[in-house]
Amino acid sequence: MNKQITSTQNTYIKELIQLKEKSKQRKKTQTFLIEGLREISLAIDGQYKIEKLLVDTSIISDKALEKIIHSFTYKIDCIEISNEVYQKLALRGSTEGIIAVAKSKDLSLNSIQFKNKNPLILVAEAPEKPGNIGALLRTADAAGIDAVLIANPKTDMYNPNIIRSSVGCVFTTTIATGTSSEIINFLKQHQINIYGAALTASVEYQTINYTNASAIVVGTEATGLTENWLQNTTANIIIPMRGKIDSMNVSVSAAILLFEAVRQRQLSN
């Protein structure tokens, strides 16, 4: 390591704290922070450009650091930081003592290229909680779907709480953001069926054929999908409730719907 930073008042560290805390700064600089060995490894696998590594040598082992450095195909700039600096930058005190500064990717709809001729897509309209977005991304990764589209996002996808709650699945999943209208037009242009999870005018989810190009759309737990989506669906679908309540956590609902689609596709193959 050719540099060491021990003070939280260092100008560069102050800039990184802004990256951690401010969506505006992440968008302005097109950079963001990644914390943890697994998350950084997944970002490397996802072809993210890592600009710098900041390491607290009082936490990370030489073996772990050497392994991550050797996973790069280019020379990476490594900065040793004090534990005080690390605690200021880290979201979790228990992580492995390593933080990366990475370049953002283009998350516009134009960036999406489907490898599957009948893609399976998850659309989430206006998810409010980073934890829910992270859980949706974990579900999407587990199901092996083709893309996740976030309509009218309330935060940027490089929010450290999204990265943390997705356990790095933000880097393993094809993601794009846009307005509801933009995403509806995108899906129609690509002749993708739109199935909206809704309580009214709905059919039971397992009665739908998802083996063709399909987008499963979920709304917020509080209000569900907006009228814009409900007026543009191929069909509205519902998960029958056997108890007293009429809704579930959005990531649980998405998992049920996506894995039914995956099951059908496996049977058809």
Side-chain angles (χ1 to χ4, degrees):
M1 280 174 276
N2 51 19
K3 191 172 182 180
Q4 187 179 54
I5 299 176
T6 59
S7 172
T8 57
Q9 298 305 306
N10 177 276
T11 301
Y12 182 58
I13 298 304
K14 286 184 175 180
E15 291 172 359
L16 296 186
I17 293 170
Q18 288 291 301
L19 277 188
K20 172 188 173 183
E21 297 176 349
K22 305 291 184 181
S23 176
K24 181 179 179 181
Q25 188 68 9
R26 292 190 292 271
K27 290 176 181 177
K28 178 183 175 182
T29 62
Q30 294 295 293
T31 56
F32 65 101
L33 301 184
I34 310 172
E35 180 183 340
L37 285 166
R38 175 171 55 181
E39 287 84 350
I40 293 170
S41 294
L42 289 173
I44 294 168
D45 290 344
Q47 305 300 308
Y48 276 80
K49 172 69 175 178
I50 307 298
E51 293 188 334
K52 285 182 174 62
L53 289 178
L54 296 100
V55 297
D56 179 353
T57 55
S58 71
I59 300 175
I60 193 168
S61 68
D62 291 342
K63 184 177 179 180
L65 180 57
E66 186 177 346
K67 183 178 179 181
I68 197 76
I69 289 175
H70 284 164
S71 65
F72 287 94
T73 57
Y74 51 89
K75 185 176 174 57
I76 185 71
D77 188 15
C78 238
I79 300 173
E80 183 179 354
I81 55 176
S82 65
N83 186 255
E84 182 186 9
V85 171
Y86 178 76
Q87 296 300 332
K88 197 75 174 176
L89 293 175
L91 203 64
R92 299 165 286 170
S94 60
T95 42
E96 301 96 337
I98 185 166
I99 294 171
V101 183
K103 291 294 291 183
S104 307
K105 280 190 176 183
D106 176 15
L107 299 183
S108 67
L109 292 167
N110 293 332
S111 68
I112 291 187
Q113 294 182 335
F114 294 117
K115 297 176 183 177
N116 183 359
K117 67 177 182 179
N118 289 321
L120 177 59
I121 299 165
L122 173 64
V123 181
E125 183 187 26
E128 297 174 352
K129 299 175 183 177
N132 276 344
I133 298 173
L136 287 168
L137 292 172
R138 291 177 71 174
T139 298
D141 178 85
I145 68 173
D146 296 276
V148 175
L149 308 182
I150 306 294
N152 306 327
K154 301 296 185 182
T155 184
D156 68 286
M157 297 306 295
Y158 299 116
N159 180 312
N161 285 302
I162 293 178
I163 297 172
R164 178 183 66 172
S165 58
S166 77
V167 292
C169 288
V170 68
F171 308 125
T172 66
T173 307
T174 297
I175 302 170
T177 63
T179 66
S180 286
S181 295
E182 288 169 345
I183 293 176
I184 289 167
N185 290 336
F186 173 85
L187 295 173
K188 289 185 174 182
Q189 287 169 6
H190 287 81
Q191 299 180 313
I192 297 170
N193 293 315
I194 302 172
Y195 300 112
L199 295 176
T200 58
S202 305
V203 299
E204 293 194 5
Y205 75 100
Q206 69 271 29
T207 65
I208 294 291
N209 178 2
Y210 302 103
T211 58
N212 295 317
S214 301
I216 292 172
V217 190
V218 295
T220 64
E221 294 168 39
T223 59
L225 292 174
T226 59
E227 198 63 27
N228 192 13
W229 279 103
L230 296 176
Q231 291 179 355
N232 284 283
T233 54
T234 307
N236 292 335
I237 54 177
I238 191 169
I239 301 170
M241 297 289 170
R242 310 301 183 194
K244 302 296 184 184
I245 61 170
D246 62 3
S247 67
M248 291 183 292
N249 176 275
V250 65
S251 63
V252 175
S253 299
I256 292 170
L257 300 174
L258 288 175
F259 275 95
E260 169 60 18
V262 170
R263 183 191 70 82
Q264 291 185 15
R265 287 167 175 239
Q266 288 175 333
L267 287 176
S268 69
N269 288 333

